[in-house]
Amino acid sequence: MVARDLLGRVLCRRLPDGDVLRGRILEVEAYDGPGDRASHAHRGLTKRNAPMFEAGGIAYVYLVYGMHHCLNVVTGARDYPAAVLIRAAESPDGASAAAGPGRVTRAFRIDRSLDGAPLIGPDLWLEEGKRVPEAEVRRTPRVGVPYAGAWARKPYRFVVVPGGERPGR
DNA sequence: GGTGCGATTGCA
DNA sequence: GCAATCGCACCA
């Protein structure tokens, strides 16, 4: 599964001033296919979710609640809407972690100008990182989608737990 | 052309 | 517990 393989990869972002921010991905959620009721794509192609219907390898960035951006990695084939929401990553400053999709995009200065951008640079890209061992991967149901019925309970959320102990949240 | 709400966060 | 804040999906 692509979502699980994104854990540990390094999210990289070049700012307008040339500085580069990096941080390992620590938490993701998968949204898979038109039938996934938790996905923005389940009602079909719209202006907002259009990038999800493109071929994988690009970003899907949208604004939620009028104040927070969320970053997704589009993973499906063309016309098959699938994406992985980046919910948490190491903070670029290396000190703390950015936990929560809105915090990740804020820490990396990601907004809708990157919607649909290819994930192979120049402003946003992914690098290989140390693979996260299975012992440190936790699977849980997704967050914030209680309206999705049975789909809300699918264990499509992947979290890196450094010690290999205790599920997050 | 008008209205309601969300893949959230932060503060009371 | 609840307000903040706005693009856009949906209905008329």
Side-chain angles (χ1 to χ4, degrees):
Chain A
M1 183 160 245
V2 181
R4 186 252 175 273
D5 292 332
L6 282 176
L7 294 176
R9 295 194 66 173
V10 183
L11 175 65
C12 304
R13 163 81 168 122
R14 184 185 303 279
L15 299 178
D17 66 10
D19 285 350
V20 175
L21 307 177
R22 293 168 197 273
R24 293 169 63 231
I25 295 172
L26 300 178
E27 178 182 343
V28 299
E29 280 182 8
Y31 290 85
D32 185 26
D36 185 349
R37 287 182 54 203
S39 172
H40 287 164
H42 108 270
R43 296 184 219 203
L45 175 65
T46 67
K47 185 175 180 180
R48 177 176 65 167
N49 66 26
M52 289 185 75
F53 288 79
E54 295 297 318
I58 65 174
Y60 166 41
V61 183
Y62 65 93
L63 184 64
V64 274
Y65 301 111
M67 43 177 43
H68 300 293
H69 294 278
C70 289
L71 169 66
N72 293 251
V73 173
V74 177
T75 61
R78 185 171 175 75
D79 293 329
Y80 182 87
V84 177
L85 170 66
I86 308 301
R87 289 193 59 88
E90 281 179 341
S91 182
D93 59 34
S96 55
R103 293 193 186 136
V104 170
T105 52
R106 190 181 58 187
F108 284 83
R109 308 289 150 77
I110 291 167
D111 61 29
R112 287 173 309 154
S113 68
L114 292 168
D115 193 26
L119 290 172
I120 50 174
D123 299 320
L124 187 66
W125 68 97
L126 294 174
E127 292 178 357
E128 295 296 332
K130 183 171 71 84
R131 182 177 174 79
V132 177
E134 292 303 324
E136 296 187 1
V137 176
R138 285 288 176 284
R139 295 187 63 158
T140 81
R142 289 174 291 188
V143 175
V145 292
Y147 55 80
W151 285 92
R153 295 191 287 278
K154 288 186 172 293
Y156 281 1
R157 175 169 173 254
F158 298 77
V159 188
V160 175
V161 183
E165 303 297 321
R166 199 176 64 191
R169 226 191 267 220

